[in-house]
Amino acid sequence: MMMQTAEPVAAQQAAPVLQHWKLAADLTHAGAAAAVQGVAGPITGVYDNCLLVAGGANFPEGMPWLGGKKVYQQRVYIYAIQKNAELLLERTAQLPEPLAYAAVCSTADGLVVAGGESAKGLSKACWLLSLSATGQLQTTALPALPVATTNAAACTDDRYVYVGGGETTAGTTAAMYRLDLQAPAKGWTNWISLPQPLSHFVLLHRKQQGKHVLFAAAGRYKKSNGLSTFSAQLYSMDVTANSWTSLANMPVALSAGTAVATKDGLLLFGGDTGETFYQVEALIQTIASTNDTAQAAKLNAQKIALQSQHPGFHPQVYHYHVDSNTWSEAGRLPYATPVTTTAVPWHQWVFIPSGEIKAGIRSPYIISVKLQRP
């Protein structure tokens, strides 16, 4: 695979102004006042002026380092999007089965959901989620991915859906697949691989100068020694070409953040910088390799302390300027930064539903923000 490098240029447009941040909704049971615990890895997207938030995973019985079991959820929340991006919970429904960490993107026909995982393991199943004329959830089976994959990313150029990266039973992958929305029965075809294996990254589409361009940013991958590396790389590819281009690195390496395409480029809403993640991962590996029971208990106590005192995630919002191939700071999230979710654009607004805000802790809130041209 060929790789090109784009050099930054001096000119730069101003980043969008982030206005009217608000907690637009809780994930609330229909007919009940109390907010439920949030989820990481939810299925999120917009269809027919409704925001769907579905599935995901959480720890309702306690933190995982204290023996709490991860529970995969099945509930679907359907919100009508009203004036000024106000959200009204219209109804709830159920997915065909519990699911979290799927690759998902919004299309004119509904939300394409690819892969993910549940208590049964990794999934290759794909669905199309839509709403009937009366607002009822409809689930249509799509051809399965070639390989069961979780923590991948997806986007669409309105003709094709692209799914790339993620984690398989063989490890982090660089594989990409493409599904023709005009002929979905033909199934997923192999597409040009990512420049490197990545999971927990963002995959976005922009139409620029009449061309459909994909962007892959951030994420992480496991090295041969079993430890992870977080990525600051940004890549782009014109879908008519056969190679990726390496663009300007992000200001900081991030994983599991959320992002949307804008008129001027890309907007990335925080993420995990990995400080706690690296330490915990190294301790887990050391604990697994020691035969000293006392030492293992001591190291496990250190691990629990790190996880229990997790500081939260990086709150900075970054804007990538396509014209100048540069990054700038565009503000900060005013709430605890959610990761392992998918930002959803709707007109001038962006929704960031639920997600993880500290190790093991989920947010029940749906954040919204308005993007104003400077």
Side-chain angles (χ1 to χ4, degrees), residues 13 24 26 31 76 84 183 199 266 335 342 354:
Q13 293 181 318
D26 290 351
V76 182
N84 294 323
S199 69
L266 313 174
Y335 312 109
T342 303
S354 200

Side-chain angles (χ1 to χ4, degrees), residues 114-138:
E117 65 181 77
S118 69
K120 296 186 292 186
L122 305 189
S123 174
K124 62 169 66 174
C126 298
W127 307 333
L128 180 72
L129 300 184
S130 60
L131 301 174
S132 70
T134 58
Q136 302 298 314
L137 182 72
Q138 297 182 139

Side-chain angles (χ1 to χ4, degrees), residues 30-370:
V36 299
Q37 187 184 50
V39 291
I43 296 162
T44 69
V46 167
Y47 177 74
D48 196 22
N49 282 327
C50 285
L51 175 69
L52 278 64
V53 184
N58 53 23
F59 299 94
E61 299 174 358
M63 293 297 99
W65 51 87
L66 299 177
K69 180 182 178 182
K70 178 178 283 189
V71 176
Y72 295 88
Q73 302 295 336
Q74 197 168 356
R75 183 176 292 270
V76 182
Y77 300 86
I78 302 170
Y79 292 91
I81 308 174
Q82 302 183 312
K83 184 179 179 181
N84 294 323
E86 298 291 337
L87 296 178
L88 174 65
L89 180 64
E90 289 203 326
R91 59 178 51 88
T92 63
Q94 295 285 312
L95 293 172
E97 60 185 28
L99 185 71
Y101 311 112
V104 59
C105 67
S106 301
T107 75
D109 297 322
L111 278 61
V112 173
V113 181
E117 65 181 77
S118 69
K120 296 186 292 186
L122 305 189
S123 174
K124 62 169 66 174
C126 298
W127 307 333
L128 180 72
L129 300 184
S130 60
L131 301 174
S132 70
T134 58
Q136 302 298 314
L137 182 72
Q138 297 182 139
T139 305
T140 305
L142 292 172
L145 290 172
V147 179
T149 308
T150 189
N151 291 310
C155 69
T156 182
D157 61 8
D158 296 330
R159 168 69 188 271
Y160 297 97
V161 170
Y162 302 85
V163 170
E167 297 166 325
T168 71
T169 55
T172 311
T173 181
M176 283 196 69
Y177 309 105
R178 188 170 81 163
L179 180 72
D180 187 345
L181 292 174
Q182 295 182 7
K186 292 183 179 179
W188 297 87
T189 57
N190 290 322
W191 187 240
I192 301 163
S193 295
L194 294 165
Q196 64 183 72
L198 285 173
S199 69
H200 302 84
F201 74 111
V202 293
L203 186 65
L204 300 171
H205 163 264
R206 287 187 81 251
K207 191 171 183 180
Q208 49 194 55
Q209 298 178 341
K211 298 180 179 180
H212 293 285
V213 179
L214 306 185
F215 292 85
R220 67 179 187 247
Y221 60 94
K222 281 191 182 291
K223 298 179 290 186
S224 58
N225 64 2
L227 298 177
S228 297
T229 292
F230 283 33
S231 175
Q233 297 285 332
L234 172 65
Y235 304 103
S236 72
M237 179 179 63
D238 174 352
V239 299
T240 62
N242 61 356
S243 66
W244 290 89
T245 297
S246 181
L247 302 174
N249 278 4
M250 296 160 42
V252 61
L254 292 170
S255 172
T258 63
V260 297
T262 70
K263 292 182 178 180
D264 305 313
L266 313 174
L267 205 58
L268 182 67
F269 297 91
D272 185 4
T273 56
E275 286 90 343
T276 301
F277 184 97
Y278 288 142
Q279 295 178 69
V280 169
E281 189 178 56
L283 283 168
I284 291 172
Q285 189 177 83
T286 304
I287 292 167
S289 65
T290 184
N291 295 318
D292 186 328
T293 303
Q295 178 66 6
K298 180 179 178 181
L299 293 172
N300 190 55
Q302 293 179 27
K303 180 181 75 68
I304 290 174
L306 278 170
Q307 293 169 309
S308 301
Q309 298 166 19
H310 194 287
F313 300 107
H314 191 59
Q316 190 69 53
V317 181
Y318 296 105
H319 183 245
Y320 173 71
H321 308 263
V322 168
D323 290 344
S324 60
N325 186 30
T326 58
W327 291 87
S328 66
E329 295 183 355
R332 296 169 69 89
L333 279 88
Y335 312 109
T337 302
V339 301
T340 322
T341 183
T342 303
V344 181
W346 181 79
H347 300 298
Q348 289 180 280
W349 294 83
V350 175
F351 298 105
I352 307 176
S354 200
E356 183 174 28
I357 53 174
K358 291 186 179 182
I361 299 175
R362 291 11 180 174
S363 168
Y365 300 115
I366 299 174
I367 297 172
S368 66
V369 62
K370 187 176 184 180

